[in-house]
Amino acid sequence: MLINLSNHPSDKWDAKQKQTAMEEYGWVEDIQFPAINPNATEQEIAELSQKYLQECLLKFKMANIPVSQPAHNEAVHIQGEFTFVYCLVNLLKEKKIKCIASTSERNVIKEQDGSKTLIFNFVRFR
């Protein structure tokens, strides 16, 4: 099982990312990434990280996955606001839960009006 904790719901992933997730992890469970207040204190980030740690642990428990020794194909896909991600990844690693992120190729299309369109093509999980 892959827990997707990001601002990008798995049902919006491109075909390659979905297929890779299914091949490597079996299925994906989404947890919406929280809106992080830029004025939040370190203590508030720590408390929010604890809350999301518990939510991840509950998802693994409901899937009957022993979080004390998770199999190699269980992980949390986590991407978002850096300080929250850093804090939560450290908590997950303490529980021996693998954390991954998506890598992508960034393609920029310059429009005639000077604007840019960014297209991100999934490459792999790291």
Side-chain angles (χ1 to χ4, degrees), residues 59-72:
K59 286 244 187 227
F60 284 125
K61 182 178 178 183
M62 291 173 62
N64 293 318
I65 296 169
V67 296
S68 60
Q69 296 180 340
H72 73 281

Side-chain angles (χ1 to χ4, degrees), residues 67-89:
V67 296
S68 60
Q69 296 180 340
H72 73 281
N73 65 338
E74 279 81 38
V76 176
H77 174 256
I78 180 167
Q79 294 186 255
E81 195 277 338
F82 298 122
T83 60
F84 172 77
V85 168
Y86 179 82
C87 189
L88 182 53
V89 165

Side-chain angles (χ1 to χ4, degrees), residues 5 31 34 44-58 84 88 91:
L5 180 53
I31 297 176
E44 290 168 325
I45 295 297
E47 290 169 4
L48 189 61
S49 297
Q50 282 290 338
K51 175 185 171 190
Y52 275 79
L53 170 65
Q54 294 308 314
E55 191 168 344
C56 289
L57 294 175
L58 181 60
F84 172 77
L88 182 53
L91 293 173

Side-chain angles (χ1 to χ4, degrees), residues 7-119:
N7 285 312
H8 306 282
S10 60
D11 64 351
K12 305 286 190 226
W13 289 355
D14 68 26
K16 182 180 178 185
Q17 188 170 9
K18 288 178 187 177
Q19 180 180 350
T20 303
M22 296 305 284
E23 288 171 358
E24 293 183 19
Y25 300 100
W27 81 94
V28 179
E29 292 281 333
D30 289 311
I31 297 176
Q32 177 61 45
F33 197 89
I36 305 293
N37 181 340
N39 292 313
T41 65
E42 288 80 355
Q43 181 62 36
E44 290 168 325
I45 295 297
E47 290 169 4
L48 189 61
S49 297
Q50 282 290 338
K51 175 185 171 190
Y52 275 79
L53 170 65
Q54 294 308 314
E55 191 168 344
C56 289
L57 294 175
L58 181 60
K59 286 244 187 227
F60 284 125
K61 182 178 178 183
M62 291 173 62
N64 293 318
I65 296 169
V67 296
S68 60
Q69 296 180 340
H72 73 281
N73 65 338
E74 279 81 38
V76 176
H77 174 256
I78 180 167
Q79 294 186 255
E81 195 277 338
F82 298 122
T83 60
F84 172 77
V85 168
Y86 179 82
C87 189
L88 182 53
V89 165
N90 282 313
L91 293 173
L92 290 163
K93 286 175 66 175
E94 286 175 8
K95 299 287 186 185
K96 303 198 182 327
I97 297 171
K98 181 179 176 180
C99 297
I100 63 170
S102 294
T103 66
S104 61
E105 293 175 332
R106 178 181 179 216
N107 298 309
V108 180
I109 300 170
K110 295 181 181 176
E111 307 294 344
Q112 287 183 341
D113 66 0
S115 64
K116 296 177 185 178
T117 300
L118 300 176
I119 299 172

